[in-house]
Amino acid sequence: MITRATKRAALRGTGLVAGVARGIARTCRDAVSVARIDPETGVLHEPGHALDGCCLAGGILVFPAGKGSSGGSYILMSLAAKKIGPIAIVMDVADAVVVAGAVLAGIPLVTGLGAEALGCINEGDRLLVDGGTGLVRFL
Amino acid sequence: MNLTDAQQAMLDGGQGAAVRQAMQILRAVGLAKQAPYCIPVRSAHVGLSVTSLRDVGVRWLESLADDGARVCVPTTTNVLSIDREAVGASPRGDAELQQRALHALARMGAATTCSCNPFSQGYLPARGESVAWSESATAPFVNGVLGARTNREGATALASALTGITPCYGMHQTAERRGTAVFRVTAALAGLDGFHLLGAVVARRCADRIPVLVGLPSSIAQDDLYGFCAAFATYSSLSMFHMVGVTPEAPTLRAALGGGADAGRPRGRIETTQDPQRIQADTMDIGDRDLEAQRKAIDGLGGLPADVAVVGCPHVSLAQLREIALLMHGRAVSRDKTFFVHTNVVVRAEAARLGLLEKLVQAGVKVTCDTCVYTSLDTLSRHSRLLTNSSKMAFLMSSRGLSTALASTADCVRAMT
């Protein structure tokens, strides 16, 4: 059981791409296809998705799992080059598309938090993500 | 994940920045998937469409080539966003970008075969060998038809091409390939569009269980299997299926479910509590009605006449091109219609040699090479009404807002002439 006390501390996952980022959590409970993020604007377009129409630039993207086209890796790379992508990614079940994309884009990535831990990160929480140690801290 | 000294040296930059980055990708994916180590791959199939690479990705490919990166296993390339021979006809600057991406891959030693259907060009991984192939539709064919092994790859395929290895997880592990749901097919399956419908129905009904199909003839045409695999990959994220009598690992239902001599020791995510007998007891039937229901579910034309037809998703083989030429005999494409047939450089060259290509072009068929209307930079109008024999093409183009419907190859020809 993860309590508010846990929340004041930190969540631990596996750090897959090193780097530290501080920012606001953009969370959703559905799988995300990073290929659906517009590389010109940073806005996710997927009718019916919780983040449809949301600009993810400068946020920390928090979601359970990836899905969709493998071209998503290059979309993350394009977003990072234009500095309109997420500044860190926290996900539960990592997939090769997001992992490869995060490496290419240099986006700190923490995975494998577990569904319960991931669930206690709310939209708008201020987070510190350390992709080297795998720690996600609430600020 | 354990790395050998040679792999650690690649990660430490001993073979340059490009190989180092490739190893970083493979190591991170291996850690994410809890792969115990890396294994050699025998070939790679890499994507290079500029619709996903964009200018940033193309500059990255060029930097890899500049750094001296070279593929160390036979490497083929996926579709382009242009027809190489029609570059001048495209007004878009992106056409030049696509040429640069292709040139960078060629400098790295990849074959510029540029097809989503490398099988039709004779690239057929052998049973039991591990490969790293991108293009989602290829994975079910590599695993389920050829009995070779690949996960669904993207940028990782290029990382494997440059290093010759892949993390050992997923489809590279025998236990992860076992069937976990059984379907009895009673549908008649006349033609390629039938197999496209079957692939879609199986994918939608199996969810995350690896399907085993029984009741199919063992002499299914390779072209029908391409179609089945493309449709399956469109509606499922799985890389594997079994057709008993077709899949090398599935001479019998028992073998497909992991009870045969072919089965390795249980390992990884699939648990031994999955009892083959219980799975068999839950057999689901797929009949003609199910296929017709799927055809209706994706019918966006509602009886309105189509103005565009697309055949060749995945790219047509020479056999399919012959069939289209026979169907077109004595006919011509109507002036207000557009009939696309998508194929690749190898098939088109042979079709030209046989005189087939000239006949089709004279009849008004647009035979494209290297690309398709979905990946092409010169996209169709959203108001187009599109008929196709491919579930994948119908799905992709309807997601772009076009009205689409599925029909047999013969009906596509009839609708355009």
Side-chain angles (χ1 to χ4, degrees), chain B residues 252-274:
Chain B
T252 62
L253 175 57
R254 200 173 124 85
L257 297 174
D262 231 14
R265 291 180 64 79
R267 202 166 99 192
R269 194 160 42 81
I270 297 194
E271 292 162 18
T272 49
T273 50
Q274 281 180 325

Side-chain angles (χ1 to χ4, degrees), chain B residues 237-281:
Chain B
S237 59
L238 297 171
S239 309
M240 181 72 190
F241 67 89
H242 297 264
M243 280 182 189
V244 173
V246 173
T247 304
E249 287 143 283
T252 62
L253 175 57
R254 200 173 124 85
L257 297 174
D262 231 14
R265 291 180 64 79
R267 202 166 99 192
R269 194 160 42 81
I270 297 194
E271 292 162 18
T272 49
T273 50
Q274 281 180 325
D275 175 7
Q277 280 182 343
R278 193 181 302 167
I279 296 169
Q280 232 172 305

Side-chain angles (χ1 to χ4, degrees), chain A residues 5 9 14 17 23 25 29 39 60 64-65 72 74 81 104-106 108 110-111 113 128 136:
Chain A
T14 305
V17 181
R29 310 298 178 212
I60 294 174
Y74 299 121
L104 290 171
V110 173
T111 70
L113 285 182
L128 184 151
V136 178

Side-chain angles (χ1 to χ4, degrees), chain B residues 286-359:
Chain B
I286 297 177
D288 290 319
R289 270 190 207 171
D290 300 295
L291 300 198
E292 280 318 302
Q294 173 65 14
R295 192 192 295 275
K296 282 207 184 88
I298 60 165
D299 181 7
L301 289 185
L304 284 171
D307 47 30
V308 179
V310 178
V311 170
C313 173
H315 283 166
V316 294
S317 65
L318 193 61
Q320 288 177 65
L321 213 55
R322 277 183 199 280
E323 183 195 352
I324 297 160
L326 269 178
L327 290 165
M328 283 298 296
H329 187 71
R331 293 166 177 263
V333 176
S334 306
R335 230 178 288 165
D336 54 343
K337 314 264 182 186
T338 313
F339 184 16
F340 287 103
V341 174
H342 298 314
T343 191
N344 57 60
V345 65
V346 172
V347 170
R348 189 161 75 168
E350 185 59 4
R353 198 183 66 81
L354 294 171
L356 284 171
L357 184 66
E358 196 187 348
K359 275 185 197 157

Side-chain angles (χ1 to χ4, degrees), chain A residues 16 39-40 74 77 94 99 104, chain B residues 28-29 31-33 52 54 60 155:
Chain A
L16 289 183
E40 299 295 330
Y74 299 121
M77 201 177 174
V99 174
L104 290 171
Chain B
V29 170
L31 287 174
K33 298 293 185 183
S52 51
R54 309 179 66 82
W60 171 67

